[in-house]
Amino acid sequence: PACGEITITASGDAAAKQPECVGVYSPTEMFSAGRQVFKHQTQQRYLLVRPGDVDWSVQESVESKGCLMQSACAPSMCPADPRARTCERLGRTSWEYWNGAEMKHGDITVKCSVHKY
């Protein structure tokens, strides 16, 4: 089944540096890289897989080049899939956030209202 709402929570530096990324994302009619695009309910933020990328990312627009948060990979149609947290090949072990200078591992949790992992 298709995903419902996606909720992103964060604590510590991830929440302090990217507060606009936390919250509830609703499915849109748009698709990117074969996966549904989600839009934050109150902020100008999108959750999607960019064409040519291998991870879910939170961006300011669908066309943005840089991301504010990203998963380690995008192994399924659901960004809350626990496998999205790690990518051995790239050495990633969690969702990451942009701290203003670089991507850093963060205390970030992603949940789906349909898929209960």
Side-chain angles (χ1 to χ4, degrees):
C3 290
E5 293 179 334
I6 303 295
T7 302
I8 297 178
T9 56
S11 61
D13 200 43
K17 298 288 185 183
Q18 296 298 339
E20 297 88 8
C21 294
V22 230
V24 179
Y25 291 77
S26 300
T28 69
E29 298 294 318
M30 297 181 285
F31 284 80
S32 177
R35 293 173 179 86
Q36 193 149 29
V37 174
F38 299 85
K39 164 86 172 65
H40 195 289
Q41 287 184 342
T42 61
Q43 302 293 324
Q44 190 64 31
R45 297 288 184 266
Y46 293 86
L47 174 62
L48 66 138
V49 176
R50 295 178 291 194
D53 275 1
V54 295
D55 52 38
W56 287 95
S57 64
V58 175
Q59 305 176 179
E60 292 178 347
S61 74
V62 176
E63 297 84 21
S64 293
K65 297 291 185 216
C67 65
L68 305 168
M69 285 185 173
Q70 69 183 13
S71 67
C73 64
S76 70
M77 302 299 276
C78 181
D81 187 329
R83 295 176 298 161
R85 290 189 297 245
T86 61
C87 179
E88 192 173 311
R89 182 176 63 84
L90 297 176
R92 295 182 185 169
T93 57
S94 69
W95 277 71
E96 299 176 336
Y97 67 97
W98 178 251
N99 73 353
E102 62 184 338
M103 296 303 288
K104 299 286 281 182
H105 294 283
D107 188 9
I108 300 165
T109 304
V110 181
K111 297 201 180 283
C112 176
S113 63
V114 172
H115 304 106
K116 308 293 184 188
Y117 295 104

